[in-house]
PDB file of all heavy atoms in Angstrom:
ATOM      1  N   GLY X  22      -2.844  12.849  -5.816  1.00 79.00           N
ATOM      2  CA  GLY X  22      -2.850  13.396  -4.493  1.00 79.00           C
ATOM      3  C   GLY X  22      -4.180  13.465  -3.786  1.00 79.00           C
ATOM      4  O   GLY X  22      -4.254  13.892  -2.636  1.00 79.00           O
ATOM      5  N   TRP X  23      -5.272  13.073  -4.471  1.00 83.00           N
ATOM      6  CA  TRP X  23      -6.660  13.200  -3.923  1.00 83.00           C
ATOM      7  C   TRP X  23      -6.800  12.154  -2.831  1.00 83.00           C
ATOM      8  O   TRP X  23      -6.361  11.066  -2.918  1.00 83.00           O
ATOM      9  CB  TRP X  23      -7.684  12.985  -4.993  1.00 83.00           C
ATOM     10  CG  TRP X  23      -9.103  12.981  -4.529  1.00 83.00           C
ATOM     11  CD1 TRP X  23      -9.879  14.064  -4.355  1.00 83.00           C
ATOM     12  CD2 TRP X  23      -9.846  11.843  -4.112  1.00 83.00           C
ATOM     13  NE1 TRP X  23     -11.087  13.632  -3.858  1.00 83.00           N
ATOM     14  CE2 TRP X  23     -11.122  12.296  -3.686  1.00 83.00           C
ATOM     15  CE3 TRP X  23      -9.548  10.474  -4.057  1.00 83.00           C
ATOM     16  CZ2 TRP X  23     -12.149  11.412  -3.202  1.00 83.00           C
ATOM     17  CZ3 TRP X  23     -10.514   9.606  -3.583  1.00 83.00           C
ATOM     18  CH2 TRP X  23     -11.767  10.086  -3.213  1.00 83.00           C
ATOM     19  N   THR X  24      -7.515  12.604  -1.738  1.00 83.00           N
ATOM     20  CA  THR X  24      -8.002  11.685  -0.736  1.00 83.00           C
ATOM     21  C   THR X  24      -9.401  12.046  -0.357  1.00 83.00           C
ATOM     22  O   THR X  24      -9.811  13.199  -0.467  1.00 83.00           O
ATOM     23  CB  THR X  24      -7.127  11.720   0.541  1.00 83.00           C
ATOM     24  OG1 THR X  24      -7.012  13.064   1.025  1.00 83.00           O
ATOM     25  CG2 THR X  24      -5.627  11.271   0.238  1.00 83.00           C
ATOM     26  N   PRO X  25     -10.167  11.086   0.109  1.00 83.00           N
ATOM     27  CA  PRO X  25     -11.564  11.399   0.536  1.00 83.00           C
ATOM     28  C   PRO X  25     -11.547  12.289   1.778  1.00 83.00           C
ATOM     29  O   PRO X  25     -10.622  12.316   2.507  1.00 83.00           O
ATOM     30  CB  PRO X  25     -12.169  10.065   0.882  1.00 83.00           C
ATOM     31  CG  PRO X  25     -11.074   8.996   0.721  1.00 83.00           C
ATOM     32  CD  PRO X  25      -9.826   9.663   0.219  1.00 83.00           C
ATOM     33  N   LYS X  26     -12.611  13.095   1.859  1.00 81.00           N
ATOM     34  CA  LYS X  26     -12.705  14.066   3.027  1.00 81.00           C
ATOM     35  C   LYS X  26     -12.647  13.301   4.286  1.00 81.00           C
ATOM     36  O   LYS X  26     -13.371  12.281   4.470  1.00 81.00           O
ATOM     37  CB  LYS X  26     -14.047  14.804   2.895  1.00 81.00           C
ATOM     38  CG  LYS X  26     -14.156  15.929   3.889  1.00 81.00           C
ATOM     39  CD  LYS X  26     -15.467  16.719   3.575  1.00 81.00           C
ATOM     40  CE  LYS X  26     -15.599  17.838   4.617  1.00 81.00           C
ATOM     41  NZ  LYS X  26     -16.859  18.595   4.457  1.00 81.00           N
ATOM     42  N   GLY X  27     -11.803  13.805   5.180  1.00 73.00           N
ATOM     43  CA  GLY X  27     -11.720  13.162   6.555  1.00 73.00           C
ATOM     44  C   GLY X  27     -10.730  12.008   6.630  1.00 73.00           C
ATOM     45  O   GLY X  27     -10.501  11.477   7.693  1.00 73.00           O
ATOM     46  N   TYR X  28     -10.168  11.675   5.483  1.00 72.00           N
ATOM     47  CA  TYR X  28      -9.205  10.548   5.434  1.00 72.00           C
ATOM     48  C   TYR X  28      -7.765  11.069   5.413  1.00 72.00           C
ATOM     49  O   TYR X  28      -7.406  11.815   4.472  1.00 72.00           O
ATOM     50  CB  TYR X  28      -9.458   9.609   4.255  1.00 72.00           C
ATOM     51  CG  TYR X  28      -8.449   8.492   4.133  1.00 72.00           C
ATOM     52  CD1 TYR X  28      -8.466   7.370   4.917  1.00 72.00           C
ATOM     53  CD2 TYR X  28      -7.469   8.544   3.098  1.00 72.00           C
ATOM     54  CE1 TYR X  28      -7.573   6.339   4.790  1.00 72.00           C
ATOM     55  CE2 TYR X  28      -6.556   7.475   2.942  1.00 72.00           C
ATOM     56  CZ  TYR X  28      -6.626   6.405   3.779  1.00 72.00           C
ATOM     57  OH  TYR X  28      -5.720   5.344   3.624  1.00 72.00           O
ATOM     58  N   ASP X  29      -6.909  10.698   6.300  1.00 66.00           N
ATOM     59  CA  ASP X  29      -5.525  11.089   6.341  1.00 66.00           C
ATOM     60  C   ASP X  29      -4.670   9.897   6.306  1.00 66.00           C
ATOM     61  O   ASP X  29      -4.546   9.119   7.291  1.00 66.00           O
ATOM     62  CB  ASP X  29      -5.252  11.853   7.592  1.00 66.00           C
ATOM     63  CG  ASP X  29      -3.816  12.486   7.570  1.00 66.00           C
ATOM     64  OD1 ASP X  29      -3.069  12.184   6.658  1.00 66.00           O
ATOM     65  OD2 ASP X  29      -3.415  13.191   8.561  1.00 66.00           O
ATOM     66  N   PRO X  30      -4.071   9.593   5.168  1.00 63.00           N
ATOM     67  CA  PRO X  30      -3.177   8.363   4.991  1.00 63.00           C
ATOM     68  C   PRO X  30      -2.022   8.312   6.026  1.00 63.00           C
ATOM     69  O   PRO X  30      -1.544   7.282   6.384  1.00 63.00           O
ATOM     70  CB  PRO X  30      -2.707   8.374   3.597  1.00 63.00           C
ATOM     71  CG  PRO X  30      -2.855   9.820   3.180  1.00 63.00           C
ATOM     72  CD  PRO X  30      -3.986  10.317   3.880  1.00 63.00           C
ATOM     73  N   ASP X  31      -1.552   9.520   6.453  1.00 60.00           N
ATOM     74  CA  ASP X  31      -0.406   9.595   7.364  1.00 60.00           C
ATOM     75  C   ASP X  31      -0.811   9.067   8.764  1.00 60.00           C
ATOM     76  O   ASP X  31       0.077   8.756   9.533  1.00 60.00           O
ATOM     77  CB  ASP X  31      -0.031  11.061   7.508  1.00 60.00           C
ATOM     78  CG  ASP X  31       0.577  11.554   6.168  1.00 60.00           C
ATOM     79  OD1 ASP X  31       1.116  10.766   5.407  1.00 60.00           O
ATOM     80  OD2 ASP X  31       0.531  12.753   5.926  1.00 60.00           O
ATOM     81  N   LYS X  32      -2.114   8.988   9.032  1.00 59.00           N
ATOM     82  CA  LYS X  32      -2.501   8.509  10.411  1.00 59.00           C
ATOM     83  C   LYS X  32      -2.711   6.987  10.374  1.00 59.00           C
ATOM     84  O   LYS X  32      -3.188   6.393  11.288  1.00 59.00           O
ATOM     85  CB  LYS X  32      -3.790   9.188  10.790  1.00 59.00           C
ATOM     86  CG  LYS X  32      -3.620  10.706  11.095  1.00 59.00           C
ATOM     87  CD  LYS X  32      -4.890  11.314  11.505  1.00 59.00           C
ATOM     88  CE  LYS X  32      -4.764  12.845  11.850  1.00 59.00           C
ATOM     89  NZ  LYS X  32      -5.963  13.479  12.266  1.00 59.00           N
ATOM     90  N   GLU X  33      -2.453   6.361   9.161  1.00 52.00           N
ATOM     91  CA  GLU X  33      -2.745   4.902   9.028  1.00 52.00           C
ATOM     92  C   GLU X  33      -1.505   4.023   9.353  1.00 52.00           C
ATOM     93  O   GLU X  33      -1.459   2.840   9.112  1.00 52.00           O
ATOM     94  CB  GLU X  33      -3.163   4.597   7.580  1.00 52.00           C
ATOM     95  CG  GLU X  33      -4.443   5.269   7.237  1.00 52.00           C
ATOM     96  CD  GLU X  33      -5.653   4.772   7.960  1.00 52.00           C
ATOM     97  OE1 GLU X  33      -5.741   3.578   8.215  1.00 52.00           O
ATOM     98  OE2 GLU X  33      -6.486   5.628   8.366  1.00 52.00           O
ATOM     99  N   THR X  34      -0.482   4.613   9.980  1.00 46.00           N
ATOM    100  CA  THR X  34       0.802   3.952  10.180  1.00 46.00           C
ATOM    101  C   THR X  34       0.701   2.690  10.944  1.00 46.00           C
ATOM    102  O   THR X  34       1.233   1.665  10.625  1.00 46.00           O
ATOM    103  CB  THR X  34       1.798   4.919  10.929  1.00 46.00           C
ATOM    104  OG1 THR X  34       1.932   6.100  10.193  1.00 46.00           O
ATOM    105  CG2 THR X  34       3.109   4.275  11.068  1.00 46.00           C
ATOM    106  N   ASP X  35      -0.160   2.690  11.967  1.00 45.00           N
ATOM    107  CA  ASP X  35      -0.230   1.456  12.776  1.00 45.00           C
ATOM    108  C   ASP X  35      -1.471   0.577  12.498  1.00 45.00           C
ATOM    109  O   ASP X  35      -1.839  -0.319  13.324  1.00 45.00           O
ATOM    110  CB  ASP X  35      -0.279   1.869  14.277  1.00 45.00           C
ATOM    111  CG  ASP X  35       1.069   2.549  14.679  1.00 45.00           C
ATOM    112  OD1 ASP X  35       2.096   2.059  14.284  1.00 45.00           O
ATOM    113  OD2 ASP X  35       0.931   3.610  15.312  1.00 45.00           O
ATOM    114  N   THR X  36      -2.052   0.711  11.377  1.00 46.00           N
ATOM    115  CA  THR X  36      -3.269  -0.025  11.079  1.00 46.00           C
ATOM    116  C   THR X  36      -3.040  -1.034  10.015  1.00 46.00           C
ATOM    117  O   THR X  36      -2.014  -0.992   9.262  1.00 46.00           O
ATOM    118  CB  THR X  36      -4.433   0.885  10.666  1.00 46.00           C
ATOM    119  OG1 THR X  36      -4.158   1.375   9.310  1.00 46.00           O
ATOM    120  CG2 THR X  36      -4.653   2.064  11.576  1.00 46.00           C
ATOM    121  N   GLU X  37      -4.000  -1.918   9.790  1.00 46.00           N
ATOM    122  CA  GLU X  37      -3.967  -2.966   8.783  1.00 46.00           C
ATOM    123  C   GLU X  37      -4.052  -2.350   7.381  1.00 46.00           C
ATOM    124  O   GLU X  37      -3.763  -3.038   6.404  1.00 46.00           O
ATOM    125  CB  GLU X  37      -5.086  -3.995   9.033  1.00 46.00           C
ATOM    126  CG  GLU X  37      -4.867  -4.854  10.207  1.00 46.00           C
ATOM    127  CD  GLU X  37      -4.002  -6.056   9.955  1.00 46.00           C
ATOM    128  OE1 GLU X  37      -3.694  -6.364   8.761  1.00 46.00           O
ATOM    129  OE2 GLU X  37      -3.505  -6.652  10.953  1.00 46.00           O
ATOM    130  N   ASN X  38      -4.589  -1.170   7.326  1.00 49.00           N
ATOM    131  CA  ASN X  38      -5.008  -0.651   6.053  1.00 49.00           C
ATOM    132  C   ASN X  38      -3.862   0.175   5.355  1.00 49.00           C
ATOM    133  O   ASN X  38      -4.060   0.660   4.276  1.00 49.00           O
ATOM    134  CB  ASN X  38      -6.213   0.239   6.137  1.00 49.00           C
ATOM    135  CG  ASN X  38      -7.437  -0.581   6.523  1.00 49.00           C
ATOM    136  OD1 ASN X  38      -7.553  -1.705   6.066  1.00 49.00           O
ATOM    137  ND2 ASN X  38      -8.355  -0.050   7.319  1.00 49.00           N
ATOM    138  N   GLN X  39      -2.714   0.372   5.979  1.00 64.00           N
ATOM    139  CA  GLN X  39      -1.659   1.101   5.339  1.00 64.00           C
ATOM    140  C   GLN X  39      -0.995   0.174   4.284  1.00 64.00           C
ATOM    141  O   GLN X  39      -0.775  -0.953   4.536  1.00 64.00           O
ATOM    142  CB  GLN X  39      -0.609   1.562   6.389  1.00 64.00           C
ATOM    143  CG  GLN X  39       0.533   2.369   5.763  1.00 64.00           C
ATOM    144  CD  GLN X  39       1.764   2.377   6.618  1.00 64.00           C
ATOM    145  OE1 GLN X  39       1.987   1.479   7.460  1.00 64.00           O
ATOM    146  NE2 GLN X  39       2.657   3.357   6.379  1.00 64.00           N
ATOM    147  N   ASP X  40      -0.702   0.769   3.151  1.00 69.00           N
ATOM    148  CA  ASP X  40      -0.075  -0.045   2.098  1.00 69.00           C
ATOM    149  C   ASP X  40       1.354  -0.413   2.522  1.00 69.00           C
ATOM    150  O   ASP X  40       2.080   0.392   2.992  1.00 69.00           O
ATOM    151  CB  ASP X  40       0.045   0.818   0.764  1.00 69.00           C
ATOM    152  CG  ASP X  40      -1.319   1.126   0.168  1.00 69.00           C
ATOM    153  OD1 ASP X  40      -2.333   0.502   0.641  1.00 69.00           O
ATOM    154  OD2 ASP X  40      -1.381   1.913  -0.752  1.00 69.00           O
ATOM    155  N   LEU X  41       1.589  -1.718   2.268  1.00 77.00           N
ATOM    156  CA  LEU X  41       2.886  -2.199   2.737  1.00 77.00           C
ATOM    157  C   LEU X  41       4.051  -1.740   1.840  1.00 77.00           C
ATOM    158  O   LEU X  41       5.186  -1.625   2.222  1.00 77.00           O
ATOM    159  CB  LEU X  41       2.854  -3.722   2.795  1.00 77.00           C
ATOM    160  CG  LEU X  41       3.907  -4.455   3.532  1.00 77.00           C
ATOM    161  CD1 LEU X  41       3.894  -4.120   4.988  1.00 77.00           C
ATOM    162  CD2 LEU X  41       3.697  -6.009   3.409  1.00 77.00           C
ATOM    163  N   ALA X  42       3.695  -1.516   0.592  1.00 77.00           N
ATOM    164  CA  ALA X  42       4.683  -1.095  -0.475  1.00 77.00           C
ATOM    165  C   ALA X  42       3.857  -0.520  -1.605  1.00 77.00           C
ATOM    166  O   ALA X  42       2.698  -0.452  -1.667  1.00 77.00           O
ATOM    167  CB  ALA X  42       5.481  -2.331  -0.952  1.00 77.00           C
ATOM    168  N   ASN X  43       4.565   0.016  -2.541  1.00 83.00           N
ATOM    169  CA  ASN X  43       3.991   0.533  -3.794  1.00 83.00           C
ATOM    170  C   ASN X  43       4.833   0.096  -4.990  1.00 83.00           C
ATOM    171  O   ASN X  43       5.620   0.768  -5.531  1.00 83.00           O
ATOM    172  CB  ASN X  43       3.894   2.069  -3.753  1.00 83.00           C
ATOM    173  CG  ASN X  43       2.868   2.685  -4.631  1.00 83.00           C
ATOM    174  OD1 ASN X  43       1.984   1.962  -5.046  1.00 83.00           O
ATOM    175  ND2 ASN X  43       2.976   3.965  -4.932  1.00 83.00           N
ATOM    176  N   LEU X  44       4.555  -1.145  -5.331  1.00 88.00           N
ATOM    177  CA  LEU X  44       5.352  -1.861  -6.347  1.00 88.00           C
ATOM    178  C   LEU X  44       4.774  -1.872  -7.765  1.00 88.00           C
ATOM    179  O   LEU X  44       3.564  -1.855  -7.862  1.00 88.00           O
ATOM    180  CB  LEU X  44       5.635  -3.307  -5.878  1.00 88.00           C
ATOM    181  CG  LEU X  44       6.260  -3.515  -4.497  1.00 88.00           C
ATOM    182  CD1 LEU X  44       6.366  -4.990  -4.234  1.00 88.00           C
ATOM    183  CD2 LEU X  44       7.525  -2.776  -4.316  1.00 88.00           C
ATOM    184  N   ARG X  45       5.619  -2.029  -8.708  1.00 88.00           N
ATOM    185  CA  ARG X  45       5.199  -2.309 -10.066  1.00 88.00           C
ATOM    186  C   ARG X  45       4.924  -3.812 -10.158  1.00 88.00           C
ATOM    187  O   ARG X  45       5.325  -4.644  -9.351  1.00 88.00           O
ATOM    188  CB  ARG X  45       6.294  -1.879 -11.049  1.00 88.00           C
ATOM    189  CG  ARG X  45       6.542  -0.415 -11.099  1.00 88.00           C
ATOM    190  CD  ARG X  45       7.406   0.007 -12.216  1.00 88.00           C
ATOM    191  NE  ARG X  45       7.637   1.489 -12.249  1.00 88.00           N
ATOM    192  CZ  ARG X  45       6.727   2.309 -12.774  1.00 88.00           C
ATOM    193  NH1 ARG X  45       5.660   1.921 -13.321  1.00 88.00           N
ATOM    194  NH2 ARG X  45       7.059   3.603 -12.693  1.00 88.00           N
ATOM    195  N   ALA X  46       4.172  -4.141 -11.189  1.00 89.00           N
ATOM    196  CA  ALA X  46       3.806  -5.547 -11.430  1.00 89.00           C
ATOM    197  C   ALA X  46       4.949  -6.505 -11.423  1.00 89.00           C
ATOM    198  O   ALA X  46       4.977  -7.593 -10.832  1.00 89.00           O
ATOM    199  CB  ALA X  46       2.907  -5.716 -12.642  1.00 89.00           C
ATOM    200  N   LYS X  47       6.012  -6.126 -12.150  1.00 91.00           N
ATOM    201  CA  LYS X  47       7.190  -7.000 -12.285  1.00 91.00           C
ATOM    202  C   LYS X  47       7.919  -7.117 -10.973  1.00 91.00           C
ATOM    203  O   LYS X  47       8.485  -8.223 -10.622  1.00 91.00           O
ATOM    204  CB  LYS X  47       8.218  -6.424 -13.301  1.00 91.00           C
ATOM    205  CG  LYS X  47       7.647  -6.520 -14.754  1.00 91.00           C
ATOM    206  CD  LYS X  47       8.683  -5.993 -15.756  1.00 91.00           C
ATOM    207  CE  LYS X  47       8.195  -6.179 -17.162  1.00 91.00           C
ATOM    208  NZ  LYS X  47       9.177  -5.644 -18.163  1.00 91.00           N
ATOM    209  N   GLU X  48       7.816  -6.093 -10.143  1.00 93.00           N
ATOM    210  CA  GLU X  48       8.496  -6.172  -8.774  1.00 93.00           C
ATOM    211  C   GLU X  48       7.615  -7.061  -7.846  1.00 93.00           C
ATOM    212  O   GLU X  48       8.155  -7.898  -7.076  1.00 93.00           O
ATOM    213  CB  GLU X  48       8.549  -4.811  -8.184  1.00 93.00           C
ATOM    214  CG  GLU X  48       9.524  -3.844  -8.971  1.00 93.00           C
ATOM    215  CD  GLU X  48       9.452  -2.421  -8.436  1.00 93.00           C
ATOM    216  OE1 GLU X  48       8.365  -1.959  -8.067  1.00 93.00           O
ATOM    217  OE2 GLU X  48      10.519  -1.724  -8.494  1.00 93.00           O
ATOM    218  N   ALA X  49       6.337  -6.974  -8.003  1.00 93.00           N
ATOM    219  CA  ALA X  49       5.394  -7.821  -7.185  1.00 93.00           C
ATOM    220  C   ALA X  49       5.549  -9.328  -7.502  1.00 93.00           C
ATOM    221  O   ALA X  49       5.539 -10.186  -6.592  1.00 93.00           O
ATOM    222  CB  ALA X  49       3.944  -7.446  -7.448  1.00 93.00           C
ATOM    223  N   LEU X  50       5.921  -9.623  -8.723  1.00 93.00           N
ATOM    224  CA  LEU X  50       6.123 -11.045  -9.120  1.00 93.00           C
ATOM    225  C   LEU X  50       7.355 -11.687  -8.466  1.00 93.00           C
ATOM    226  O   LEU X  50       7.482 -12.917  -8.433  1.00 93.00           O
ATOM    227  CB  LEU X  50       6.258 -11.125 -10.613  1.00 93.00           C
ATOM    228  CG  LEU X  50       5.008 -10.960 -11.489  1.00 93.00           C
ATOM    229  CD1 LEU X  50       5.372 -10.808 -12.939  1.00 93.00           C
ATOM    230  CD2 LEU X  50       4.019 -12.030 -11.212  1.00 93.00           C
ATOM    231  N   LYS X  51       8.205 -10.826  -7.881  1.00 93.00           N
ATOM    232  CA  LYS X  51       9.478 -11.388  -7.273  1.00 93.00           C
ATOM    233  C   LYS X  51       9.297 -11.533  -5.767  1.00 93.00           C
ATOM    234  O   LYS X  51      10.237 -11.953  -5.090  1.00 93.00           O
ATOM    235  CB  LYS X  51      10.603 -10.336  -7.571  1.00 93.00           C
ATOM    236  CG  LYS X  51      10.946 -10.204  -9.032  1.00 93.00           C
ATOM    237  CD  LYS X  51      12.035  -9.119  -9.211  1.00 93.00           C
ATOM    238  CE  LYS X  51      12.341  -8.926 -10.674  1.00 93.00           C
ATOM    239  NZ  LYS X  51      13.368  -7.933 -10.951  1.00 93.00           N
ATOM    240  N   THR X  52       8.054 -11.318  -5.272  1.00 93.00           N
ATOM    241  CA  THR X  52       7.874 -11.405  -3.837  1.00 93.00           C
ATOM    242  C   THR X  52       7.104 -12.697  -3.485  1.00 93.00           C
ATOM    243  O   THR X  52       6.353 -13.210  -4.285  1.00 93.00           O
ATOM    244  CB  THR X  52       7.044 -10.231  -3.278  1.00 93.00           C
ATOM    245  OG1 THR X  52       5.687 -10.317  -3.821  1.00 93.00           O
ATOM    246  CG2 THR X  52       7.720  -8.889  -3.686  1.00 93.00           C
ATOM    247  N   LYS X  53       7.338 -13.222  -2.302  1.00 93.00           N
ATOM    248  CA  LYS X  53       6.608 -14.350  -1.782  1.00 93.00           C
ATOM    249  C   LYS X  53       5.121 -14.055  -1.629  1.00 93.00           C
ATOM    250  O   LYS X  53       4.215 -14.907  -1.845  1.00 93.00           O
ATOM    251  CB  LYS X  53       7.211 -14.791  -0.458  1.00 93.00           C
ATOM    252  CG  LYS X  53       8.599 -15.422  -0.455  1.00 93.00           C
ATOM    253  CD  LYS X  53       8.964 -15.964   0.907  1.00 93.00           C
ATOM    254  CE  LYS X  53       9.055 -14.830   1.962  1.00 93.00           C
ATOM    255  NZ  LYS X  53       9.623 -15.314   3.253  1.00 93.00           N
ATOM    256  N   ARG X  54       4.804 -12.799  -1.295  1.00 94.00           N
ATOM    257  CA  ARG X  54       3.455 -12.467  -0.989  1.00 94.00           C
ATOM    258  C   ARG X  54       2.540 -12.672  -2.189  1.00 94.00           C
ATOM    259  O   ARG X  54       1.402 -13.082  -2.050  1.00 94.00           O
ATOM    260  CB  ARG X  54       3.400 -10.954  -0.551  1.00 94.00           C
ATOM    261  CG  ARG X  54       4.152 -10.679   0.702  1.00 94.00           C
ATOM    262  CD  ARG X  54       3.889  -9.298   1.197  1.00 94.00           C
ATOM    263  NE  ARG X  54       4.185  -8.192   0.373  1.00 94.00           N
ATOM    264  CZ  ARG X  54       5.394  -7.706   0.157  1.00 94.00           C
ATOM    265  NH1 ARG X  54       6.424  -8.193   0.842  1.00 94.00           N
ATOM    266  NH2 ARG X  54       5.626  -6.668  -0.661  1.00 94.00           N
ATOM    267  N   PHE X  55       3.068 -12.395  -3.390  1.00 95.00           N
ATOM    268  CA  PHE X  55       2.348 -12.593  -4.568  1.00 95.00           C
ATOM    269  C   PHE X  55       1.862 -14.081  -4.722  1.00 95.00           C
ATOM    270  O   PHE X  55       0.711 -14.316  -5.067  1.00 95.00           O
ATOM    271  CB  PHE X  55       3.118 -12.162  -5.819  1.00 95.00           C
ATOM    272  CG  PHE X  55       2.405 -12.438  -7.127  1.00 95.00           C
ATOM    273  CD1 PHE X  55       1.526 -11.509  -7.695  1.00 95.00           C
ATOM    274  CD2 PHE X  55       2.595 -13.589  -7.839  1.00 95.00           C
ATOM    275  CE1 PHE X  55       0.876 -11.730  -8.938  1.00 95.00           C
ATOM    276  CE2 PHE X  55       1.869 -13.916  -9.017  1.00 95.00           C
ATOM    277  CZ  PHE X  55       1.062 -12.939  -9.487  1.00 95.00           C
ATOM    278  N   TYR X  56       2.849 -14.909  -4.547  1.00 96.00           N
ATOM    279  CA  TYR X  56       2.453 -16.399  -4.784  1.00 96.00           C
ATOM    280  C   TYR X  56       1.638 -16.906  -3.626  1.00 96.00           C
ATOM    281  O   TYR X  56       0.872 -17.842  -3.795  1.00 96.00           O
ATOM    282  CB  TYR X  56       3.815 -17.180  -4.871  1.00 96.00           C
ATOM    283  CG  TYR X  56       4.552 -16.627  -6.151  1.00 96.00           C
ATOM    284  CD1 TYR X  56       5.571 -15.755  -6.036  1.00 96.00           C
ATOM    285  CD2 TYR X  56       4.070 -17.077  -7.408  1.00 96.00           C
ATOM    286  CE1 TYR X  56       6.198 -15.322  -7.201  1.00 96.00           C
ATOM    287  CE2 TYR X  56       4.737 -16.658  -8.574  1.00 96.00           C
ATOM    288  CZ  TYR X  56       5.796 -15.708  -8.535  1.00 96.00           C
ATOM    289  OH  TYR X  56       6.391 -15.233  -9.602  1.00 96.00           O
TER     290      TYR X  56
END
């Protein structure tokens, strides 16, 4: 749950830097993005 001071991940909704997903390796292998 740690985040750097001044950084709020909840405010990253409309930016390029928000994580698109939080997948395990086996799940990532099933996506087009991996390839």
Side-chain angles (χ1 to χ4, degrees):
W23 175 88
T24 56
K26 188 176 180 180
Y28 175 75
D29 185 357
D31 294 331
K32 293 181 180 179
E33 299 294 318
T34 304
D35 297 315
T36 73
E37 289 278 346
N38 294 325
Q39 183 198 21
D40 293 350
L41 197 61
N43 202 18
L44 304 180
R45 295 188 179 279
K47 289 183 179 179
E48 295 171 326
L50 288 171
K51 297 176 182 178
T52 67
K53 289 186 295 185
R54 301 191 298 278
F55 175 88
Y56 298 98

